[in-house]
Structures are given as C-alpha cells and as structure tokens.
Amino acid sequence: MAKARTRTTVASIARRIKEGRGAGHFAEYKPWLTIHDVPSTGVVTRVLGWKSGRLHHYLSEHFELAHHYQMEWSEEVVDIREQFPLLPIEKTLFIAQKLGIRHPIDPNTKHPIVMTVDMVLTVKNGEDVSFIAHSIKPISKLNRRTLEKMQIEKQFLKEMGVEWFLITEQQINYDLVKNVEWLHSAKTLSSLGHVNKDLVNEMQPNLFNALRQSDTPLAKVTLALDKQYALPKGTCIQIVKHLIANRYWVIDMKQRVSSTLNPLIIKENNFPVGGI
C-alpha cells in the first residue's frame, strides 16, 4: 500500500518543531521533510554526506541529488542542509499576502504548509562564514505557480540575510556529478572493507607510477596490480577512488572518468610523504 503524505495541522507543525526539524548543523541537522513524510510512489533518495556525516534526504527526481554531489565536491561549502523550513510560518504568510500570492496549503486539511527551500549551504571563505540558499528545479518545471512560491522563498531569505539562487540544469555539470557519484562510497576507509591506511600507503606509489607510465584504461592497470600483489579483485581501483575523493590525487573532475575506456590522467600528486 502506498504511503500517504503527512497531513499538515497546527499539531503536526508543533510536533516537528519539538522534534528539532530544521534545527542544528552537520550531523545534528534534521530536515523538515524526510523520505518517510512523502508518498512511497515518489522518487526519493538517501545518501550519506561527506561533509555532514549524516543521511541526506532528497525527495524529488535525481536532480537534487546531482546538485548535492556538486556541493559535496566544492571546497567552499562546508555543510549542506536540505529541506530547510522557512519558519515561523506567520512570516511566509505575511510575505505571501504582501506580494499578492496564494500561500501553499495542504490540500487535505486546507492548513498553510511550512514552506521549505531545497538547500541551505554553509560557505566558508577564509575566516568568513556565510549562508546561501538554493532552489533546485529543472527549467521544464518553472511554471507560473512554482515561480510565485519561489518569490516567497527569496523574499523570506533576503530578510534573513541569506542570498538565494535558482539552480537549473544549466548550473549542473553532469560530468562532475558522475565523477563524484563514482567516488562517493570510497571517501572513508571504513567503507572499503579490507583497505586500510597501511595498504593505501604501500600501494599509492605503485599505483601512481603504473598509471603515470601507462596509456591503457584505468581498470586494466588496477586489475593487473591486484593480481601482481595478490589483492582481492577491485582493491586497487577502490584505493584510486579514495585517493581522488580525498584530493591526494588531483584529476580534472569536470572531465568524465571512464575507467574501462580511458587512462587516468593525474595532474598532481599531493600524497603526504610520510603517508596518511
């Protein structure tokens, strides 16, 4: 049986606020809406964040997840908070009235819903920390009603001192997105099973030299090294992913990596001399 969307009432809003929804940073943050709050027929995704150390909940198509991967790779972005609530609700109601726009309501209860912005990013530039909001929508879905609701979002955030941006497919580099997705599970050694620091330290120079001297596809080189060093199949490519994910090796992330078709071009090797 399909799961019904949670109904909006005064009590349900109060309950979510009491639960700490929309509060906190990093691992402590709780999004206003999670995948448990939407119908199961929708396309939803959970992904463990590099920066936050928690599961992120994305409720729409792959579009929000694609932008999440871009923001994971950005060195300026230090935290990502999705489904950020615009509270108190009285403020969005006032802004909607001032702009002459209908405030979103729950179609079942007719109660005004708590509006959310897709992402609020914590951005660090030197010692300066600021917040930026992103609404993420494909151009095909920017109809009149969606744009009206975005006006409320933008005004609310402006009054909070938070800059707001619209993200469409024109702002998404899908080569970068696919590369981060490819690397994502290899960021931490704890996710790589038998791969530990000692093995990474031992294999890094062997991998670097083999790849630098080869014009054959990445997968072929790593499989050969797995065999040469009697490692379980797939070990060396996981180490390569870990090295790139942690920026020990610098590659052109805006150029799609094809491990079975192309050699890996390493632009810089920043691996610590004493190992990790």
Side-chain angles (χ1 to χ4, degrees), residues 202-241:
E202 176 187 350
M203 291 305 300
Q204 188 279 146
N206 300 323
L207 280 163
F208 179 73
N209 290 330
L211 290 167
R212 185 177 55 175
Q213 296 166 12
S214 176
D215 58 359
T216 56
L218 168 63
K220 187 174 181 180
V221 176
T222 55
L223 282 171
L225 285 172
D226 287 339
K227 186 174 181 180
Q228 180 181 343
Y229 289 89
L231 296 169
K233 188 177 179 180
T235 297
C236 285
I237 201 163
Q238 288 295 93
I239 294 173
V240 168
K241 290 180 184 181

Side-chain angles (χ1 to χ4, degrees), residues 175 179 182 218 244 251-253 255-259 262 264:
D175 285 338
N179 286 341
W182 178 67
L218 168 63
I244 299 170
I251 68 168
D252 183 357
M253 285 290 286
Q255 192 77 25
R256 180 77 181 273
V257 174
S258 177
S259 61
N262 302 118
L264 183 72

Side-chain angles (χ1 to χ4, degrees), residues 76-127:
E76 291 77 28
V77 174
V78 297
D79 192 18
I80 302 170
R81 290 180 288 170
E82 76 281 14
Q83 292 295 321
F84 187 87
L86 307 184
L87 289 168
I89 195 170
E90 291 77 14
K91 188 167 183 177
T92 54
L93 285 165
F94 177 77
I95 291 170
Q97 183 181 40
K98 185 170 65 173
L99 295 175
I101 296 171
R102 285 184 297 113
H103 192 285
I105 63 170
D106 185 314
N108 295 310
T109 65
K110 308 304 179 186
H111 192 283
I113 67 168
V114 173
M115 297 183 67
T116 60
V117 65
D118 294 321
M119 282 184 190
V120 171
L121 308 170
T122 306
V123 179
K124 191 169 184 181
N125 185 3
E127 296 300 314

Side-chain angles (χ1 to χ4, degrees), residues 58-78:
Y58 292 107
L59 312 178
S60 64
E61 304 161 7
H62 65 282
F63 207 64
E64 289 180 16
L65 180 61
H67 190 52
H68 172 89
Y69 284 136
Q70 289 194 139
M71 297 300 95
E72 285 275 60
W73 190 251
S74 169
E75 293 186 274
E76 291 77 28
V77 174
V78 297

Side-chain angles (χ1 to χ4, degrees), residues 141-196:
K141 293 192 175 181
L142 295 179
N143 55 40
R144 180 179 175 181
R145 181 57 179 153
T146 298
L147 292 171
E148 285 180 344
K149 290 187 284 187
M150 286 182 173
Q151 285 185 61
I152 301 172
E153 284 182 26
K154 185 176 181 180
Q155 184 60 34
F156 181 100
L157 291 158
K158 180 180 179 181
E159 293 180 14
M160 285 181 62
V162 175
E163 201 168 2
W164 176 95
F165 294 93
L166 170 62
I167 303 298
T168 71
E169 55 266 43
Q170 294 177 347
Q171 285 76 45
I172 294 182
N173 182 316
Y174 281 98
D175 285 338
L176 172 62
V177 167
K178 286 298 181 182
N179 286 341
V180 178
E181 184 178 27
W182 178 67
L183 300 171
H184 206 265
S185 63
K187 173 77 170 179
T188 60
L189 289 173
S190 61
S191 65
L192 298 183
H194 65 281
V195 178
N196 55 36

Side-chain angles (χ1 to χ4, degrees), residues 35-48:
I35 64 171
H36 305 295
D37 300 315
V38 299
S40 57
T41 53
V43 180
V44 295
T45 308
R46 289 192 300 176
V47 60
L48 182 63

